[in-house]
Amino acid sequence: MAGQGEEKLLNLTLHVWRQKNRGAAGGFVTYKDEARGISTDMSFLEMLDVVNERLIKSGREPIAFDHDCREGICGQCGVVVDGSPHGPRRATTTCQLHMRSFDDGAELTIEPWRAGAFPVIKDLMVDRSAFDRIIAAGGFVSVRTGNAPEANGLPVPKQDADLAMDAAACIGCGACVAACPNASAMLFVSAKAQHLNLLPQGAPEKDQRSLAMIDQADAEGFGTCTNHGECEAVCPKEISMGFIARLNRDYARAAVKKPRAGAPAGGAG
Amino acid sequence: MELKSNVPPGPLAEKWTQHKFDMKLVNPANKRKYSVIVVGSGLAGASASASLAELGYNVTCFCYQDSPRRAHSIAAQGGINAAKNYQNDGDSVQRLFYDTIKGGDFRAREANVHRLAEVSVNIIDQCVAQGVPFAREYSGLLANRSFGGAQVSRTFYARGQTGQQLLLGAYQALERQVGLGTVKMHTRHEMQQLVVVDGKARGIVVRDMETGALESHVADAVVLATGGYGTVFYLATYAKGANCTAIWRAYKKGAAFANPCYTQIHPTCIPVTGDHQSKLTLMSESLRNDGRIWVPKKQGDHRPPGQIPEDERDYYLERKYPAFGNLSPRDISSRAAKEACDDGRGVGKTGRGVYLDFADAIQRLGVDTIRERYGNLFDMYERITDEDPYKVPMRIYPASHYTMGGLWVDYNLMSTIEGLFVLGEANFSDHGANRLGASALMQGLADGYFVAPYTISNYFGTVRTFDKIKADHPAFKTAESDVADRTKRLLSIQGDKTPDDFHRELGQIMWNDCGMGRNEAGLKKALAALPQLKRDFWKGVRVLGTNEEVNQSLEKANRVADLIELGELLCLDALERRESCGAHFREEYQTPDHEAQRDDDNFCHVAAWEYKGDDAPPARHVEPLTFENVHLQTRSYK
Ligand SMILES: Cc1cc2nc3c(=O)[nH]c(=O)nc-3n(C[C@H](O)[C@H](O)[C@H](O)COP(=O)(O)OP(=O)(O)OC[C@H]3O[C@@H](n4cnc5c(N)ncnc54)[C@H](O)[C@@H]3O)c2cc1C
Ligand code: FES
């Protein structure tokens, strides 16, 4: 078995996107000495930690990158490695990617998510606040605290609950947008909408939700979905494109009914 | 300093209902006039923000991540407890109350814990109504699993992502209010200082983490829901950014810090592999439902697990605690793992690990059932270790996971500073000396949805009119310049060690001398080492760049400086508590079979520390704990 005792050390060459702030022009900087002796037991972010420690010790500013939980659930991390959001391993966030996925001597290009709606803040960090605004537009059930009926009063067929959970597993990292040639956010939007649309608790607001979330995504400048399928391929939680088809159906139905006026929901849009 | 618990009179089971009735209300038209700052957007902060905004108050919420949905509550895996008794296995509010008091080794306030058990059932209703996709049976009804320290099945779960789903529920409720304009959300903003005016918490100073700008925010009440301080051990199951800055700065402004030495070391985490390690990953306790924990009977037995015959394995939890077995509480399970490894029977490269074995369960239930229950955890394990837990047993070892200690709060969740409320893991309130699994999510949501909205209303209704102050008030100006000075100092040191170097050193000291086992000599050693580390830090840390930009080293340095100071208080508290209770295990105080030995005559109390200045020792105050409804007894899981 690997893992126990098969640690190897890698010497890498990194080309990392460095950009001072939103307004500044960025460019690639190459690191070689700083990326020597990297253990295959390290995670990708631990490799960047090591590079950063070395940069600081030699008086150079460390590379800024987003991360928090480092266990693949918060969705805060994410860089593009050699053109692939979250790197080469299927169903794996950047923080869970381990260096054993790379060969000694490898040359890696590391960039931030690239999308008009995700402006770069610094180096590998981007602004994903558009996702929050899409949720604020309709990604919720309008229930007030303290008014909830008995939980088992409304049974939910197991397969519906399971499907809703498949959609709800989205971590909101934005890799789908970064992978899409159109920078569409439809995998995210559909996962978030379908999680609720599929459950009886979310059904009453289905029309309003479908319209509001898609409209908000358009307003944020995300592109339209033309079924490339890159999003599904890079999604660390393997969210299915089937949810996009479902949301498109919900949207079409709702658009015919036009429930917007007088709807009770929120609406940041 | 006076510690008034403000527990309402009356029989235990009626206290909360009566208190809710007795509390002052604010009429709907007036609610708009009051404002609340909520720091933190985890389960506690997001649920409080959404609920307070629904009530009609003006809410401003802060978090340091780029979205409120990323608070570390998101990482909770296993589940949330509630006394629904859907399984009809004898559960009740009374039993959840009792299990929690006992699990906490009789070091929590009865009235708070009872309230927690009461509202637990409302939490599940609330979450289901929000669309939280809890696991269900084929009947369409909600499913349950078992967790440590309980003999009933009362844990609700959403695959291995319960925290994620509960937080998304609260986050969506929060974003709904953001959309309605009742909550102003500030992401990537870090609280740097609490501002107290005329004895009342009236606001905070935050740093915009993108531009470095300091901003003052004024309100009529401040809520801290900033999570735990377990990163004091450096390696932990917490998020990398988790820190104690908010509660530590509040402590220094007069909020008492209760029981800092109650820190939980979780028994089932993936072991450390090397010096580069930046965090440890939890393997949910729910795995102990089906996994069996063992080590070889012989010392130094390095055979692969599959080659160790059944009768040469020591299923030590099943052997020592037959009644609870692999579901023994966390403190007990962690210490037992440490004991086995100290005895030279640990497994894996480092010898700091024990097996968590699913072979029996897979044989009994089939791979598919195990995959359905734990698939994502098994995948996570495989990604990190490169080993397939369907084929070889997992290796696990204890790691810092939760802090029961925190800012002291009364029954209303108000700290010793008027108008400063503390929710979730940041307070000390409900778990005594040890938290049971699946009870933190319950507490965070209880505080945020069902307790604080009422008690904060009561506070507004009682004070009624607040002095009108603005962000140009001298107290805010002073706070801002204090923060700016500190930043300048950090940037000017230009030493030769990184903030992480210091953090790792802190972790070493804490883990070795104030970890799973503590003794007087070790604690005294740590208490000498920590002030030295603090001096070294302020002489030797290197932070490059400026304040006026994204500066992650600066953020780290700022947090590590606070953690070092907190570490010292933690050790002091551990030294002064001359007993063992729950997760606080003083080696001098143990029973002949190595269980924690409480000293109820001298230590049946909460210890709350008051800051007395940087150069003076803090003062230890005591809130006696009285048990009127349960019998103080030796905790036994045998
Ligand atoms: C890996 C893991 C698994 C767990 N599993 C379970 C489980 O199965 N069941 C269970 O009951 N419990 C579990 N727990 C414990 C539980 O998840 C936590 O105790 C709980 O979620 C804490 O919630 P919180 O709202 O208090 O804090 P958090 O969710 O930690 O939120 C803290 C918030 O405060 C903000 N913040 C902090 N400092 C500042 C500052 N200075 N300025 C601005 N914002 C700040 C952060 O941005 C964040 O929004 C688990 C914990 C971990 C680490
Ligand atoms: S850091 Fe949380 S998902 Fe990677």
Side-chain angles (χ1 to χ4, degrees), chain B residues 522-533:
Chain B
L523 290 167
K524 287 193 165 150
K525 195 168 110 217
L527 283 167
L530 290 167
Q532 185 56 44
L533 184 67

Side-chain angles (χ1 to χ4, degrees), chain B residues 12-17 93 96 111 113-122:
Chain B
L12 185 66
E14 289 159 33
K15 282 182 196 291
W16 179 234
T17 310
V93 166
L96 176 53
V113 177
H114 198 276
R115 174 176 65 192
L116 177 66
E118 281 173 59
V119 305
S120 69
V121 297
N122 306 114

Side-chain angles (χ1 to χ4, degrees), chain A residues 187-209:
Chain A
L187 193 63
F188 167 78
V189 177
S190 67
K192 296 309 299 168
Q194 289 305 308
H195 154 211
L196 300 173
N197 286 3
L198 283 162
L199 291 170
Q201 288 82 5
E205 293 169 292
K206 184 157 111 182
D207 292 348
Q208 161 67 17
R209 176 178 311 116

Side-chain angles (χ1 to χ4, degrees), chain A residues 45 67-77 93-95 171:
Chain A
L45 298 186
H67 65 102
D68 203 30
C69 75
R70 294 206 176 185
E71 49 185 87
I73 192 74
C74 75
Q76 174 115 355
C77 71
T93 54
T94 309
C95 61
I171 58 172

